[in-house]
Amino acid sequence: MLAAVAAGFASCSIREMSAPEVPANRVSITVNAGLEQTKTVFGAPENGVIPVTWAAEGEQLVLFEIADGVSSQSDTAEVYTLENGGANAKFQFAFAAGSAASYDYFALYPASARRPVKAGNYGIDNQVTDFAWPDAFQKSTADGPDPNHCLFMSTLKGQTAQPTELNMKFQHMCGYGKVAIKDLKLVNGEKAESLTLTFENDTVVGRYGLMPDGSMKLEAGAAKAIKIALDAIAPEGGNFAAWFAAKPFTFNAGDKATVIVMTNKRSFTKEITATADLSFEAGTATAFTVDMSTAEAPDVIAADKELVFDFS
């Protein structure tokens, strides 16, 4: 069966595609996936809201079909069509033609987040799939979080026949943060390379299983720290901003977190305390600032010192 998923977005260039030929014993399905504030490129704030949009290329979804309790899955091709100025995207999928009495569908973005599970009745421990939500190691871009960790999902259950078209609405599974680092005391030639945030009382990343009812079950990898690589930002001074994605949580007033900035010469460490609740809700972006002017850091050791020996 060949399925096309269409998903809502904001402004992006449109790529045209022709529908691939449907081979024998396969069925073509068009999935119209509307995005509820769910896109993958973060824009400038508009009326206090940070918009997010589909990227013009490189997006990949995975679609799971559950036919009479037995699961199969299909990645998308990297070719897709953007519609309505990028507000929607249509993806192509392929499944074997079937005649089951009941069909359920689950779509997960990005496809790279999926971890394989054993085929059968919803896989291992009755799961549809296993996925990172999100990983502890991320790479911030200048415009938003690592797109590999902007996870969203859509569920459509109870189809009585294998459809040729599905209308699905995606929802975010992660909350997003933008942390502004201020007044980092760098010396000549020193550059920030990574940022680690450790939240004392909150689990912010982990590996989860997607259950048939659409809920998530923690499997492994629960952690309180996120390490963010900064090479895509290439900050040139002591003031910069980095993005991250996390399991939805609230950094409550009075809770503590540790901020570590690694440079090419040393590390800076600062413990912070939330003065008010900061909520990182699914599908929203929350910004905060960390003043690193009083951060603890070892002195930079001067290199290539000339050693003088007096043997007189």
Side-chain angles (χ1 to χ4, degrees):
M1 165 168 78
L2 186 67
V5 175
F9 262 39
S11 55
C12 292
S13 61
I14 295 178
R15 301 175 62 195
E16 296 300 333
M17 62 173 286
S18 57
E21 182 179 346
V22 181
N25 300 319
R26 311 290 278 187
V27 175
S28 176
I29 295 184
T30 299
V31 181
N32 299 301
L35 291 172
E36 190 174 284
Q37 298 183 354
T38 308
K39 306 143 192 177
T40 63
V41 177
F42 286 65
E46 298 175 0
N47 299 319
V49 176
I50 299 176
V52 282
T53 62
W54 286 106
E57 59 183 19
E59 307 283 21
Q60 251 194 326
L61 303 176
V62 60
L63 182 67
F64 299 88
E65 179 186 73
I66 316 297
D68 285 346
V70 179
S71 62
S72 59
Q73 61 189 38
S74 175
D75 291 333
T76 73
E78 291 188 2
V79 178
Y80 53 91
T81 301
L82 297 181
E83 301 174 343
N84 299 329
N88 296 281
K90 182 178 291 184
F91 298 85
Q92 296 291 325
F93 296 94
F95 291 98
S99 57
S102 176
Y103 288 89
D104 297 339
Y105 291 91
F106 299 85
L108 178 69
Y109 171 91
S112 59
R114 183 209 57 239
R115 310 293 175 88
V117 297
K118 188 182 301 180
N121 295 328
Y122 284 119
I124 299 171
D125 295 332
N126 204 36
Q127 291 177 200
V128 175
T129 187
D130 181 42
F131 59 91
W133 184 32
D135 196 74
F137 299 95
Q138 303 178 25
K139 186 175 184 177
S140 176
T141 73
D143 301 319
D146 189 331
N148 289 320
H149 301 285
C150 296
L151 305 183
F152 53 84
M153 185 183 71
S154 182
T155 301
L156 189 61
K157 302 179 66 177
Q159 305 297 303
T160 57
Q162 193 175 44
T164 58
E165 184 170 356
L166 295 171
N167 293 304
M168 304 183 78
K169 180 172 287 187
F170 285 86
Q171 292 184 331
H172 281 277
M173 299 164 65
C174 293
Y176 307 107
K178 183 180 183 182
V179 53
I181 298 298
K182 179 182 177 183
D183 292 337
L184 191 66
K185 303 300 183 183
L186 304 179
V187 298
N188 291 338
E190 190 173 14
K191 294 184 178 181
E193 295 182 340
S194 70
L195 168 66
T196 300
L197 303 172
T198 303
F199 296 90
E200 184 178 70
N201 296 326
D202 298 292
T203 297
V204 293
V205 295
R207 197 182 82 214
Y208 288 73
L210 170 61
M211 308 307 289
D213 63 358
S215 65
M216 272 62 73
K217 175 184 176 183
L218 179 64
E219 295 296 321
K224 298 179 178 181
I226 301 173
K227 184 174 182 179
I228 308 162
L230 304 176
D231 48 299
I233 301 173
E236 289 293 336
N239 297 282
F240 60 89
W243 289 82
F244 63 90
K247 172 184 175 294
F249 74 103
T250 299
F251 186 34
N252 292 306
D255 285 356
K256 297 183 183 298
T258 302
V259 180
I260 298 176
V261 178
M262 291 292 299
T263 74
N264 57 330
K265 297 180 181 291
R266 53 184 170 164
S267 65
F268 292 78
T269 302
K270 178 73 176 288
E271 184 180 271
I272 61 173
T273 301
T275 56
D277 291 353
L278 282 178
S279 294
F280 298 87
E281 299 176 359
T284 65
T286 299
F288 61 102
T289 299
V290 178
D291 184 347
M292 296 293 287
S293 60
T294 59
E296 298 180 359
D299 293 334
V300 175
I301 300 175
D304 302 325
K305 286 187 176 180
E306 181 180 359
L307 300 180
V308 177
F309 299 92
D310 184 357
F311 296 101
S312 58

